[in-house]
Amino acid sequence: MYLGLDLSTQQLKGVIVDAQLRIQSETSVSFDVDLPHYKTKKGVYVQGRRVLSPVAMWIEALDLLLSRMLEANLPLDQIRCISGAGQQHGSVYWSYEAETILSHITSDESLVSQLEPRAFAYGLSPNWQDSSTQLECDEIEKCVGGSSNLARLTGSKAHHRFTGPQIMKLRNEFEESYKKTFRISLVSSFLCSLMIGKIAPIDCADICGGSFWDIEKEEYIQEVLTTISGGHSAELRQKLGKVCMNGGEKLGRVAQYHQQRYGFSSKCEVIPFTGDNPATLLALPLLQTDAMISLGTSTTMLLSTSHYLPLPDYHMFAHPTTKGLFMAMLCYKNGSLARELIRDDINRKCETEQESWTKFNEIALATSSPMDNNHKRRLGFYFPLPEIIPQSKAGTWHFEISSEGTPQLLSPDQWNSPEEDARAILESQSLDIRMRSQPFFEPSIHDCTDIRKQASRIYVVGGASKNDAVVQVLGEVLGGHDGIYRQLIGFSNACAMGAANKAAWAALKEPGQSFEEFVKNQWNEAAWIKKVDRGYRAGVWEVYGSLLHSVRTAEELITQTSN
Ligand code: XUL
C-alpha cells in the first residue's frame, strides 16, 4: 500500500492506493468543521489583502487524520512508502530549536503540544490567496531586469503569493521572527518533515513557486536572494536549504512517533512531498498533447511538456518526477465561487432551490453559441476575489465586442444580469485558458483558428467536472480532438492520489523506469475515466479562436483599471 497526503487550503486528505494504483481509501479532515477552535473561514484568516493560516492547525489535523485512518482499520502497517503534497507557495518558519524538538518527539503526547509554539519563529503561514506583496514583487522583478526576465529564469513573473515576495514581506514586517528563523519550509516540505521527524528538503517542482530558483540551471538566483534578504543571501540560502532534485529519493523512514502511535511499519519509507499542482499532474498518465483542468475553488490548467517556454502569462515548474519535462500551469483564484454567486442570483430570481445548478445550466446552454451570434459578441469577467490572471482587483466587467473586434465596456444597465452571466462566465473562464495555453499546442502555428492548435485530450477533475454545462462550454471553447474525459475515481482527491502514485512509483519502479511508463502500465482506462464531452466542434472552436484577441484587449482594460 502507498499513502499520499494532501495539505490543501481547507482540508488535509489521505489516499491509500495499492500496487496497481487502485484507490483503497480516502480520508479527510476539514479545518473549519473539525478544528473549529482555530476559527478559520475556509481554512484561512483574511486580513484585507493578507491571507494566512495557523501552522498549529495543520499539525493537529495530521494527528486527527491519522487517528481517523487508524479507527477505520486502514492497513497503515502495510504502507511501504509515503509521499504528499501541499498548497503551493505557503511558507513555514522553523525556529532554531526545531530540529532538536523534532528529534525528541514522543508518542505519548500529541504532535501539536510538543511542537507549538517553540518549534516555530512565526506561527502563521502566508496563503496562496494573499495579494499583499506588490512592492516586494516589483523589487524582485527589478533586480533581474523585469518581469519577462524573471519569467525566463524562474518560469513565472513575480506573483503576490509566491514564496520569495512573502518571505521578503515577513522580513520587512516581522524582522525578529525572520531573525529567529532557522529553516523555511514550503507547506509540502513542512508536512514531509512531520512525517520523517526532521526538516525535509524542498522538492525540485515546488521550489519553482518562489521567484528565486533558476529552473534550467537548477540553482538559487543570487540577485533575488540578495533582494529578498536585504543583502544577506548566504543566510537565506541556508534557511531555504538544499533542494531535492530526485522526486523518488528515499528521505528516511517514517518517524517513530507514527510507528508507535499509528502502527506504521519501521520499514515504511518517505520520499519528497511536492506542490499540490505538480502532484495533481501525477494522477493521470498525461501525454504531452493532453491537458488537465482542475475545477475546484480555484481553477487550474496543467500540462506536461518538454518545451521550456516561459512567458509572464503563465507558470512553468520543473516536473516533480521526470527530468526533461516541465509542468506548465494556469492558476485562477476565481473558479467555483464566482460561478456559484451567479448561480445563486439566478436561483433567487427564479425562486428555485438554492444550491441547484439546474437553472444556471439551462440558461447557460440555451444562450446562443458564437455560431448564431457572431456579430454581436458580449463578454463578462467575474472576479469576486482579486484575480491572478489577469492580475486584477475584485470586480465584474461586461463588454460588447464591435465587428472590428474592439471591446467596449458596458454599464450595468446595458447588461442583462443574471441571465446573460451564466454563459458569459463559462465562456470567459474557458477563453482565458485557451488564450494563455496556446503556445504549448503546435508552437510553430500562429493562427489561433488552425485546428492543430488544440489539445488532443482534456481531462477534467474537481467538483465542477460533474457539471455538464461547465464541461460542454469548455469543450466548445477549448476543443480537444479526442474529447473531454472525467476522472471517475478519486476525482476530488486527484492531488492526494497523484502523491500516492508517486510513492508507489518510488517503491516499485524498475531501475530507470520513468513515472510515465510506470503509470501507463497500471492504467485502467475503461474503469477510471469516462468521456463526458466530444470536445472539438468544427466551426464553433474556430469562431471562439477569432475572439481571442478581443479577450486579450478586454483583459488589458481590466488590468489598467486595477492598477
Ligand atoms: C498555484 C496556487 C494554487 C495553490 C492551491 O500556483 O497558488 O493552485 O497551490 O492550493
Side-chain angles (χ1 to χ4, degrees), residues 9 87-89 128 161 276-277 298 300 315 317 329 331:
T9 312
Q87 49 181 290
Q88 293 194 264
H89 320 296
W128 63 277
R161 65 193 194 285
D276 54 357
N277 292 298
S298 60
T300 50
H315 307 292
F317 296 83
M329 180 178 81
C331 175

Side-chain angles (χ1 to χ4, degrees), residues 140-166:
I140 291 172
E141 289 188 340
K142 202 167 86 196
C143 84
V144 293
S147 61
S148 299
N149 269 352
L150 190 67
R152 185 175 52 76
L153 293 167
T154 66
S156 304
K157 72 182 189 66
H159 288 273
H160 295 147
R161 65 193 194 285
F162 271 44
T163 323
Q166 291 292 343

Side-chain angles (χ1 to χ4, degrees), residues 482-556:
D482 190 19
I484 303 205
Y485 291 77
R486 179 153 64 82
Q487 203 176 338
L488 296 177
I489 37 134
F491 77 93
S492 36
N493 290 328
C495 171
M497 193 177 142
N501 291 348
K502 184 172 183 266
W505 164 72
L508 296 171
K509 68 181 155 89
E510 305 289 339
Q513 190 181 29
S514 74
F515 178 83
E516 287 70 21
E517 281 162 10
F518 173 78
V519 175
K520 207 171 68 196
N521 290 344
Q522 320 290 333
W523 188 246
N524 184 347
E525 174 117 347
W528 293 354
I529 57 171
K530 179 179 171 211
K531 189 163 181 171
V532 284
D533 188 78
R534 67 188 149 118
Y536 176 63
R537 290 157 173 83
V540 177
W541 186 85
E542 288 79 356
V543 176
Y544 276 119
S546 65
L547 267 177
L548 295 181
H549 66 279
S550 313
V551 174
R552 170 85 60 192
T553 319
E555 290 192 1
E556 276 161 14

